[in-house]
Amino acid sequence: MPVRSYTGPCYTRPAMRETYLIRTFGCQMNKHDSERVAGLLRADGLHPVDEAEDADVVVFMTCCVRENADERLRGQVASLKSVKAARGGRQTIAVGGCIGQRDGERLLDQLPHVDVVFGTHNISRLTSLIDAACSARDPVVEVLECSTEFASDLPAEREHRWHAWVPITVGCDNFCTYCIVPHVRGRERSRPLEEIVAECERLAGEGVVEVTLLGQNVNSYGRDLYGSPRFADALRAVADTGISRVRFATSHPKDLSEETIGAMAEVPQVMRSLHLPVQSGSDRILAAMNRRYTKRSYLDLVGRLYDAMPDLALSTDVIVGFPGETEQDFLDTLEVVESARYDQAFTFLYSPRVGTPAASLTDVVPREVSQERFDRLVEKVQRSALMKNRTLVGSTQNVLFTGVSKRDPGILAGRSEGNKVIHVDLPPDTRGDAFAGRLARVKIDQAQTWFLSGYIVDERSSPPAAANSL
Ligand code: SAH
Ligand code: SF4
Ligand code: F3S
């Protein structure tokens, strides 16, 4: 264990810690976990700051799903070394999340100025671990293999008062051959339905308009508790809690049931927006990825979804350059992108992850080949998104405003039910943040690839959040 080199003023007493900064990488589950970390630190009497120079405690919530996320974390933590030295050592650096879980003590070899390493199963322990590291003046590492704790039971400091992340499962049992997630998040566990409903009722009472139900594969929700999946029941039950908009992510195509399609089509509070990662369009590559569906079965499913909901907004994830991917395999992927009429696609270059089965495959696709395929894919996706957006010109969308646009303070931004970014001019003499969390109907008059523009036509919201409407 490295010896502390700082002998500056004592920062061991909790009373000396007043400020915190959290940096979050990775997926929505990490965003949720970060809100819980913020809740714990607030409960400990600390308040947030924007700059690392001002932070007594810096917490990194990390991601290792691809190499670049790993590298960014290392770069950012390394750059804090001089900040911490300039503060005479009076800064506690904690690294949690998926890299903490994966690397544990090894992290200190490269980053000896880190004080606390924790994992994905022991967020509730963070403030005790910070105390222990400060008293010992030595790093503290605690990583658990699994736990029965759900971070949702902890206090939360939500980023937006109108939105909440609500995990319904944690972990993943699917073991796609490229993916590190099951190795760092553990086996899949579901939260009891009554607990989820109670949380959503409480959130609705606090003025939350939209919840996003989270799980690596929400479609298998309940299998471990009830013997068979009960995701459709969960959607219907949450829609009855007074929450206006229910979103969810992520859906594994092999487990998306007819009941779930029915609930999406029938229940007005459930948004007609679905993230359905395809990863590849080639049956050979899908089998090598252990995805357990085929191009045909995926496209059949997409067909059934559009039959039930012609206005469905569909998004996906695609990996380019999985070992052994040929030009023909890639053309199959392009064909799926064409046929599925995606509204959005997150595209990734394959990144080998140590500890996953695919990392030992040797038929690596040369970087320039995968890059060239990637560029073709992005072009196809953008065309598809623009085409889909153009079909919405002239329609009226229910929009939840999120605040002013980052690029233009005169533009009010929000999200449609299909999760599209919607822009309207900020009405004169009003402040953008006054609109954040409010619902309105917007007539769309222009479509771009990444957003739609329009004007507010109606102050009625979609049911049942009348109290929050404009
Ligand atoms: N549970 C979700 C999200 C997993 S991670 C799901 O199953 O969809 C988000 C996305 O990262 C995945 O859908 C996949 O497209 C991508 N991904 C995961 N591992 C990867 C790897 N080793 N290289 C490149 N992309 C990867
Ligand atoms: Fe990873 Fe597959 Fe699980 Fe998604 S379903 S988290 S891609 S193993
Ligand atoms: Fe990344 Fe962990 Fe999420 S590896 S994608 S933060 S589950």
Side-chain angles (χ1 to χ4, degrees):
M1 198 68 69
V3 174
R4 304 274 73 188
S5 52
Y6 302 108
T7 53
C10 174
Y11 66 104
T12 58
R13 278 175 294 127
M16 298 290 292
R17 295 193 298 268
E18 290 175 357
T19 55
Y20 72 86
L21 174 70
I22 302 172
R23 294 229 169 110
T24 308
F25 301 75
C27 67
Q28 296 162 333
M29 200 60 94
N30 256 16
K31 287 188 185 162
H32 162 269
D33 289 353
S34 286
E35 291 185 350
R36 303 295 154 157
V37 165
L40 288 169
L41 295 172
R42 279 273 186 152
D44 215 28
L46 279 68
H47 64 266
V49 289
D50 293 329
E51 304 297 334
E53 286 73 12
D54 302 325
D56 298 327
V57 175
V58 183
V59 183
F60 289 90
M61 296 298 279
T62 62
C63 172
C64 52
V65 79
R66 285 171 293 276
E67 182 66 34
N68 51 8
D70 246 84
E71 280 166 5
R72 271 176 59 213
L73 179 269
R74 269 160 233 286
Q76 288 211 13
V77 179
S79 72
L80 271 197
K81 194 168 183 174
S82 54
V83 173
K84 182 168 177 171
R87 291 174 53 100
R90 281 181 297 114
Q91 184 169 68
T92 305
I93 303 175
V95 178
C98 295
I99 296 183
Q101 183 72 28
R102 183 193 63 186
D103 291 355
E105 200 168 327
R106 271 184 293 142
L107 204 91
L108 299 171
D109 297 341
Q110 288 172 16
L111 301 165
H113 57 298
V114 167
D115 302 278
V116 173
V117 181
F118 64 111
T120 54
H121 301 298
N122 58 344
I123 291 171
S124 63
R125 295 265 303 139
L126 178 61
T127 46
S128 312
L129 296 174
I130 290 173
D131 283 346
C134 290
S135 321
R137 295 202 159 210
D138 241 341
V140 167
V141 177
E142 187 182 278
V143 174
L144 308 181
E145 243 170 57
C146 60
S147 88
T148 51
E149 147 186 325
F150 276 99
S152 326
D153 298 336
L154 304 172
E157 184 67 28
R158 287 196 312 274
E159 189 182 349
H160 302 296
R161 70 192 147 68
W162 70 90
H163 177 266
W165 307 108
V166 177
I168 61 168
T169 67
V170 292
C172 182
D173 286 348
N174 288 310
F175 290 94
C176 303
T177 57
Y178 50 81
C179 186
I180 195 74
V181 171
H183 307 268
V184 288
R185 291 277 173 174
R187 295 296 71 73
E188 182 177 283
R189 280 188 301 125
S190 304
R191 286 175 79 193
L193 190 49
E194 316 80 74
E195 228 179 76
I196 295 167
V197 167
E199 183 177 357
C200 291
E201 280 169 348
R202 182 177 52 74
L203 290 167
E206 288 171 15
V208 168
V209 181
E210 179 178 276
V211 297
T212 307
L213 305 179
L214 290 182
Q216 298 300 341
N217 175 14
V218 287
N219 300 106
S220 57
Y221 166 75
R223 190 177 278 155
D224 53 326
L225 290 181
Y226 308 114
S228 59
R230 288 191 56 190
F231 181 56
D233 292 346
L235 281 178
R236 289 177 192 274
V238 170
D240 268 349
T241 57
I243 296 285
S244 301
R245 294 179 150 209
V246 182
R247 297 192 183 281
F248 56 91
T250 298
S251 286
H252 196 305
K254 76 177 167 55
D255 293 317
L256 184 66
S257 67
E258 294 306 314
E259 288 78 18
T260 297
I261 298 176
M264 285 183 74
E266 283 163 28
V267 181
Q269 293 90 337
V270 177
M271 299 293 93
R272 289 180 168 197
S273 155
L274 182 69
H275 188 58
L276 193 67
V278 66
Q279 314 297 359
S280 168
S282 152
D283 289 349
R284 219 171 52 79
I285 297 295
L286 287 170
M289 288 175 162
N290 190 31
R291 289 292 288 180
R292 288 176 277 173
Y293 53 83
T294 60
K295 175 185 176 187
R296 179 70 183 274
S297 65
Y298 182 91
L299 287 176
D300 282 352
L301 175 60
V302 168
R304 292 201 302 283
L305 283 159
Y306 281 132
D307 284 347
M309 295 167 280
D311 58 343
L312 177 73
L314 190 65
S315 60
T316 199
D317 292 346
V318 184
I319 297 177
V320 177
F322 186 82
E325 183 190 76
T326 62
E327 176 63 15
Q328 184 53 52
D329 294 321
F330 178 67
L331 290 176
D332 284 337
T333 301
L334 287 186
E335 213 176 288
V336 171
V337 171
E338 182 97 37
S339 307
R341 293 182 282 131
Y342 291 119
D343 293 83
Q344 198 182 7
F346 299 89
T347 49
F348 307 109
L349 284 170
Y350 169 68
S351 169
R353 306 283 61 207
V354 174
T356 62
S360 53
L361 298 174
T362 49
D363 38 359
V364 172
V365 178
R367 176 64 196 235
E368 57 286 5
V369 174
S370 32
Q371 187 63 55
E372 188 268 339
R373 286 179 190 161
F374 185 88
D375 296 343
R376 277 150 71 200
L377 174 66
V378 168
E379 205 189 305
K380 182 82 110 193
V381 165
Q382 289 184 356
R383 236 181 299 139
S384 176
L386 183 58
M387 236 161 58
K388 253 334 218 335
N389 283 354
R390 281 185 179 148
T391 66
L392 297 176
V393 174
S395 71
T396 304
Q397 300 287 316
N398 292 319
V399 174
L400 172 60
F401 288 114
T402 50
V404 291
S405 152
K406 285 194 186 101
R407 297 226 182 100
D408 182 347
I411 299 277
L412 196 53
R415 292 273 177 172
S416 69
E417 297 200 1
N419 213 18
K420 306 269 184 193
V421 175
I422 308 285
H423 286 175
V424 301
D425 288 335
L426 183 65
D429 303 324
T430 49
R431 284 172 38 135
D433 40 346
F435 284 85
R438 293 163 74 174
L439 292 153
R441 288 169 65 75
V442 172
K443 176 101 172 177
I444 303 299
D445 58 11
Q446 265 186 57
Q448 314 285 341
T449 307
W450 306 121
F451 65 93
L452 297 153
S453 312
Y455 51 92
I456 297 171
V457 286
D458 183 339
E459 300 191 350
R460 275 180 303 118
S461 62
S462 57
N468 294 301
S469 62
L470 290 176

